[in-house]
Amino acid sequence: QKEVEQNSGPLSVPEGAIASLNCTYSDRVSQSFFWYRQYSGKSPELIMSIYSNGDKEDGRFTAQLNKASQYVSLLIRDSQPSDSATYLCAVKSWYGGSQGNLIFGKGTKLSVKP
Amino acid sequence: NAGVTQTPKFQVLKTGQSMTLQCAQDMNHNSMYWYRQDPGMGLRLIYYSASEGTTDKGEVPNGYNVSRLNKREFSLRLESAAPSQTSVYFCASIFLSGSVYEQYFGPGTRLTVT
């Protein structure tokens, strides 16, 4: 069974700080990795995808991937109260047909305090 | 462009009743998925459809059936609802182009079975 592990939190950071969210995965052949944000009572929203080792930046968000360590992280700079949500890490697995499927972690709840 | 839509938003069923959850997407995606999300369990795949005319079981298919009515619509049916099926159900459609794989979620259906 392929697994994606996240610290459930809650992770609490002050406004303006950097929030660091971490994720590990078990499937060594995975090539595609994603971060979703889910506000309470809402559906998951794709915020970042990363396919290569290293960093990928998009505005205040940076995704980091280390395939050798099977580790993905998401950094949120200048955290805002509106970033308070649950962040889901997802890894593409080849289970689920030729195009694969996503295996989701259980999510880390982030709280940004004003 | 509505993206992925789901109906109904909320539903309460009695044990043994049946119902169909509807999902439609207007993004011309080939693949569509049904998930359930439970506290502490994360998102789990119920069924998926890689293309019009095909459906396959996911991680937790028992108690459910699906129909891929056409490219736009993918429905999930509970034939005889059980309290264990109380959950939030999300439909998703997948954009796939080369190595790019993006999964977009509908707003969800909150189902309670008493």
Side-chain angles (χ1 to χ4, degrees):
Chain A
Q1 176 73 6
K2 309 303 181 188
E3 293 184 342
V4 177
E5 299 286 344
Q6 293 181 256
N7 188 323
S8 61
L11 174 66
S12 184
V13 301
E15 185 174 356
I18 296 175
S20 178
L21 305 161
N22 304 315
C23 170
T24 59
Y25 61 94
S26 63
D27 187 357
R28 288 186 171 276
V29 302
S30 295
Q31 296 294 317
S32 306
F33 307 87
F34 307 87
W35 284 98
Y36 284 79
R37 179 176 61 200
Q38 187 174 25
Y39 292 113
S40 181
K42 301 295 185 182
S43 59
E45 172 193 10
L46 178 64
I47 54 172
M48 289 287 285
S49 59
I50 185 166
Y51 303 98
S52 305
N53 275 331
D55 295 359
K56 179 181 178 182
E57 189 174 318
D58 184 359
R60 295 186 296 111
F61 298 98
T62 299
Q64 299 175 315
L65 174 61
N66 184 325
K67 291 183 182 178
S69 299
Q70 295 176 239
Y71 179 88
V72 191
S73 65
L74 179 71
L75 301 178
I76 306 174
R77 290 182 301 281
D78 188 24
S79 295
Q80 301 297 309
S82 58
D83 294 326
S84 297
T86 297
Y87 289 80
L88 306 176
C89 174
V91 175
K92 187 179 172 195
S93 165
W94 288 107
Y95 171 78
S98 59
Q99 78 279 7
N101 179 37
L102 295 185
I103 306 297
F104 286 86
K106 295 178 182 178
T108 298
K109 188 170 184 178
L110 172 66
S111 177
V112 181
K113 303 295 186 185
Chain B
N1 190 338
V4 181
T5 58
Q6 291 183 238
T7 56
K9 286 187 168 53
F10 300 93
Q11 185 71 49
V12 179
L13 291 178
K14 293 188 183 333
T15 298
Q17 288 185 317
S18 62
M19 78 162 296
T20 299
L21 283 64
Q22 307 286 355
C23 173
Q25 52 94 7
D26 61 3
M27 297 178 282
N28 202 35
H29 292 166
N30 287 319
S31 300
M32 298 181 73
Y33 287 54
W34 275 105
Y35 291 92
R36 61 179 288 174
Q37 187 176 39
D38 303 290
M41 298 296 292
L43 280 158
R44 293 182 292 169
L45 181 65
I46 305 171
Y47 269 93
Y48 66 97
S49 171
S51 61
E52 185 179 353
T54 69
T55 61
D56 283 289
K57 294 178 181 179
E59 181 186 355
V60 288
N62 291 344
Y64 305 95
N65 285 300
V66 291
S67 296
R68 184 73 183 269
L69 305 169
N70 48 55
K71 192 171 186 179
R72 290 187 63 248
E73 298 172 289
F74 188 36
S75 63
L76 178 72
R77 182 160 178 86
L78 286 70
E79 291 290 352
S80 178
S84 61
Q85 294 178 304
T86 293
S87 188
V88 181
Y89 292 86
F90 290 106
C91 176
S93 72
I94 287 80
F95 171 77
L96 183 64
S97 177
S99 62
V100 176
Y101 176 102
E102 295 177 347
Q103 195 165 128
Y104 296 94
F105 286 86
T109 294
R110 292 183 176 276
L111 175 67
T112 301
V113 183
T114 61

